[in-house]
Amino acid sequence: IAPLKVAEKWPFQRVEERFERIPEPVQRRIVYWSFPRSEREICMYSSFNTGAEDPAAAPGGADT
């Protein structure tokens, strides 16, 4: 249950940075619980777009 609670609150990168040694089985469970479960969440995260590809949509806009 601990890996589930960690995955709910912290990104895995933060866990790696904060703790010096994490047993491999615990790492696997944290990563497992870090991924979305529902089809709706998977679609939402897979289609996430910041608009950075379009210079006009980036913060500050295009050069004029």
Side-chain angles (χ1 to χ4, degrees):
I1 219 164
L4 170 61
K5 295 301 179 184
V6 168
E8 287 176 348
K9 296 187 183 255
W10 293 346
F12 186 71
Q13 181 180 358
R14 171 130 340 143
V15 174
E16 284 185 310
E17 291 170 354
R18 181 176 170 116
F19 300 102
E20 193 171 303
R21 181 175 148 14
I22 305 167
E24 185 73 25
V26 175
Q27 288 182 27
R28 287 185 193 152
R29 295 310 296 173
I30 293 171
V31 170
Y32 172 82
W33 287 112
S34 295
F35 286 94
R37 298 281 170 255
S38 74
E39 185 176 343
R40 183 181 64 82
E41 288 178 332
I42 292 169
C43 289
M44 180 176 72
Y45 289 114
S46 66
S47 65
F48 182 71
N49 184 2
T50 62
E53 298 84 24
D54 180 9
D63 293 334
T64 53

